[in-house]
Amino acid sequence: MGLLLFCFSLSTVSLAQEKESPAPPKPKVKPDYSSLPKNPRKATILSAILPGAGQVYNGKSWKVPLIYGGFITDIYFINYNNRLYNVFKQALSDFDDELTTDFPSLNRDGLVRNVNYWRKNRDLCFLLLGGIYALNLIDANVDAHLSGFDVSDDISLKFEPHYERFSSNNTSVGLSLKLNF
């Protein structure tokens, strides 16, 4: 047993002393988008510079009003939440300075809760704005990748009623699923 351990330790030491030459670095391979009708990189860059431009490049102009509608709605809510945040922050400051506030029925805890609530809503709307921008980029990229996808009428999946008679008393009624290529 000791002899086996000794032989094993010598073999690992001799293997550890051999130096291997480092493998040459592999060259970076750029993806080939030449087979696609639309270039995903170009669509993404266009959408990054001007939101909606990638959708126009992909031929999906109907998505542009949805994107800008999302931006405008979110900016409206950012402004709304920020206004209420500032109103309650000022009321809290007035309450601390023992001045009359616009909210006489609220104590300090109620004012603090409202300040935190409207600040949190405003901050979440900023995150939503970033999400809308990211979805704009993702949509342009994915749409360009799928621009070469075959959606012809030759490919279809249909549900059809099925009726089959086995014998005079035995019939089968059901649904069949037909896939056509």
Side-chain angles (χ1 to χ4, degrees), residues 108-134:
R108 187 174 198 298
D109 291 336
L111 291 172
V112 169
R113 271 196 308 271
N114 275 291
V115 167
N116 291 336
Y117 176 77
W118 294 111
R119 181 181 38 81
K120 182 179 74 168
N121 282 353
R122 181 200 60 191
D123 295 347
L124 286 174
C125 285
F126 278 119
L127 290 175
L128 182 62
L129 189 65
I132 293 169
Y133 183 76

Side-chain angles (χ1 to χ4, degrees), residues 54-107:
Q55 283 76 7
V56 172
Y57 169 75
N58 290 331
K60 305 285 176 124
S61 300
W62 62 271
K63 294 179 181 181
V64 175
L66 296 175
I67 292 168
Y68 282 101
F71 279 129
I72 290 169
T73 303
D74 194 49
I75 290 170
Y76 168 79
F77 281 109
I78 287 171
N79 186 30
Y80 176 77
N81 290 319
N82 192 45
R83 272 185 298 145
L84 287 172
Y85 165 70
N86 287 328
V87 165
F88 280 100
K89 190 170 84 170
Q90 182 62 42
L92 180 61
S93 175
D94 290 345
F95 185 85
D96 288 342
D97 293 340
E98 297 179 0
L99 300 172
T100 58
T101 66
D102 296 336
F103 308 100
S105 61
L106 291 177
N107 60 6

Side-chain angles (χ1 to χ4, degrees), residues 30-48:
K30 290 187 177 181
D32 182 26
Y33 297 125
S34 61
S35 63
L36 297 176
K38 304 289 182 188
N39 186 346
R41 172 181 263 169
K42 183 176 181 180
T44 306
I45 290 172
L46 285 171
S47 272

